[in-house]
Amino acid sequence: LFAMFAGVRNYFGLVPISVPKGLPDDVSEEILDVSDEWSGDGHSYSWLTLRELQEYDLSRTVSEEVVKIFDEIIAKLSELGGPDDVRLVFWFDN
C-alpha cells in the first residue's frame, strides 16, 4: 500500500497513485495536531481523494492481499460521501 499510495518503499516498481503532496491546505486542526506529534518520525505526508483511489488500476498490484485491503479501504471511504468529497490523509513512520 505504501508503494501504491505514494511510491514509498516501492521495491516493486509500481506506478503510485500520486507522489506525496504534503498535508492539504484545509486539513483539520485535529489532523494537524496529530501530524505535529509525529514531527521527525513522520514522512511523505500526503492525501488522496476517493476518486483517485477508485480510478487506480489494481492490475498494477503485487498481491491479492493488497487488493483486498485496498477494496476494504475504498468501501469504508465510500460510506462517508462522494468520490470528490472524501479524502484520505496519511503519512508514513520512519
Side-chain angles (χ1 to χ4, degrees):
L1 287 172
F2 289 15
M4 288 171 59
F5 283 3
V8 172
R9 298 185 184 149
N10 192 359
Y11 311 119
F12 315 102
L14 296 177
V15 175
I17 296 171
S18 175
V19 297
K21 305 181 227 183
L23 293 175
D25 291 336
D26 63 345
V27 70
S28 69
E29 287 296 321
E30 180 181 1
I31 297 299
L32 191 57
D33 290 344
V34 172
S35 72
D36 287 347
E37 291 174 16
W38 281 81
S39 62
D41 288 327
H43 66 89
S44 304
Y45 292 78
S46 195
W47 56 275
L48 298 169
T49 64
L50 178 54
R51 181 174 307 281
E52 288 174 296
L53 293 167
Q54 290 171 330
E55 291 178 350
Y56 185 71
D57 180 4
L58 285 174
S59 69
R60 300 173 177 171
T61 60
V62 294
S63 79
E64 289 301 315
E65 182 180 353
V66 170
V67 171
K68 181 180 177 193
I69 293 168
F70 190 83
D71 286 344
E72 290 172 1
I73 291 169
I74 291 177
K76 293 234 184 255
L77 291 175
S78 295
E79 295 172 6
L80 301 174
D84 297 316
D85 300 322
V86 176
R87 68 180 172 208
L88 178 66
V89 177
F90 58 92
W91 55 88
F92 303 95
D93 185 3
N94 279 329

